[in-house]
Amino acid sequence: MSRIDHIAGHTWHGRKGAVENAFRYGVDYVLLEPDAPTPTAPALFSRNRGNVVSLWDSDNGGPLRQGRGVDWVRDVLEAHGLPGDDRIELLTQPRVLGHVFNPVSFWLCRDSGGGLRVVIAEVTNTFGDRHCYLCHRDDLVAITAHDRLRARKVLHVSPFQPVEGRYEFRFDIRPDRIGIWIDFTGGNGGVIATLVGPRRRLSTLGLLGAILRRPFGSRRVLALIHWQALRLWWKGARYRPRPVPTVDDVSR
């Protein structure tokens, strides 16, 4: 991959169970190969230096604000005996005016033929905790759009959902489009979350459009998260205090 792609997509969340709630909003992600030579990018975008829109290696791949990027991913793959270190891509929200909050980023780990062998879902909550889920087939062959990959939930994300339960991930990563579906089931309910959008080369026009439509970037995402939490509280959803987070960084 010799370019940076921009996914001007949308995310949809729908709550399962007695207290119903659903919302949909626009979101901007970038997709790139972090350890490849950085291609020419629009003037508004930078890697590892300040700009209107920027991406910093320290934001991903390891503990929050202490990321090691691709080096961390390769260490994780080696420690778990997993393939996919021939080409590693990162799908994440960039910083806007220096600020970033990523509820979930994805490391896409491919073999020499381009097959998607492992996905690492890097989940961060609003309490400052982070945990990563290894997603792969049991037989370790390439992941298809029809595969449903399961992981036990470990990280406390929403205070209105239990920690106990399981995720089911589905990934449809195409040259022209991204589709990711996450289905959490726990207790008597759960939530379905999606990320869908077209995949285009990052451009000045695309960035300007994103900034005009969503000028506050991840600050807006945080505000929307807290607004939905207020709505759930008002509807009577049970509040669950944050438990002590797990000491493990990665699980399946």
Side-chain angles (χ1 to χ4, degrees):
M1 182 179 180
S2 58
R3 70 184 206 181
I4 304 172
D5 282 352
H6 175 202
I7 295 87
H10 68 265
T11 182
W12 180 87
H13 288 230
R15 181 183 171 91
K16 301 184 288 184
V19 180
E20 296 183 355
N21 193 58
F23 59 90
R24 178 185 186 273
Y25 59 82
V27 66
D28 294 281
Y29 273 71
V30 294
L31 176 64
L32 76 164
E33 193 174 349
D35 62 346
T38 302
T40 301
L44 297 177
F45 178 88
S46 296
R47 281 281 307 279
N48 294 316
R49 63 182 180 85
N51 205 331
V52 177
V53 180
S54 59
L55 189 68
W56 295 73
D57 292 343
S58 59
D59 287 335
N60 301 96
L64 192 62
R65 292 181 290 276
Q66 302 175 39
R68 295 193 294 115
V70 172
D71 291 340
W72 176 87
V73 176
R74 289 203 163 95
D75 287 348
V76 169
L77 295 176
E78 182 179 2
H80 290 82
L82 296 173
D85 64 348
D86 292 276
R87 192 170 95 235
I88 298 171
E89 299 164 349
L90 174 63
L91 176 64
T92 189
Q93 293 184 71
R95 294 187 181 210
V96 177
L97 298 177
H99 183 269
V100 69
F101 171 71
N102 263 301
V104 58
S105 299
F106 301 93
W107 292 97
L108 310 178
C109 306
R110 299 183 180 274
D111 57 29
S112 57
L116 182 62
R117 305 291 289 276
V118 177
V119 177
I120 302 177
E122 187 178 83
V123 180
T124 305
N125 65 22
T126 56
F127 304 99
D129 306 316
R130 173 175 285 177
H131 189 79
C132 298
Y133 298 92
L134 288 172
C135 305
H136 59 80
R137 290 173 51 119
D138 291 337
D139 56 10
L140 297 181
V141 302
I143 299 167
T144 73
H146 304 291
D147 290 321
R148 286 170 167 76
L149 310 175
R150 295 174 176 84
R152 181 175 64 90
K153 184 181 177 185
V154 173
L155 181 68
H156 180 68
V157 179
S158 167
F160 299 100
Q161 294 286 351
V163 173
E164 298 77 18
R166 297 194 69 84
Y167 288 118
E168 186 176 83
F169 296 88
R170 187 160 70 88
F171 301 97
D172 186 7
I173 312 298
R174 307 181 191 182
D176 63 342
R177 189 170 182 81
I178 296 294
I180 298 175
W181 294 264
I182 305 173
D183 187 345
F184 167 66
T185 301
N188 296 319
V191 66
I192 297 173
T194 70
L195 171 63
V196 179
R199 177 175 168 179
R200 300 186 178 95
R201 185 186 294 271
L202 186 69
S203 67
T204 298
L205 186 62
L207 282 176
L208 285 173
I211 292 167
L212 290 173
R213 290 190 304 271
R214 295 176 279 277
F216 300 106
S218 55
R219 290 181 175 88
R220 171 178 167 272
V221 172
L222 276 170
L224 287 167
I225 288 172
H226 286 96
W227 167 242
Q228 295 301 328
L230 180 62
R231 291 184 65 196
L232 285 170
W233 172 81
W234 183 258
K235 291 179 178 182
R238 175 188 167 192
Y239 181 87
R240 294 171 169 84
R242 170 179 174 264
V244 176
T246 177
V247 297
D248 297 323
D249 294 331
V250 181
S251 67
R252 182 180 178 217

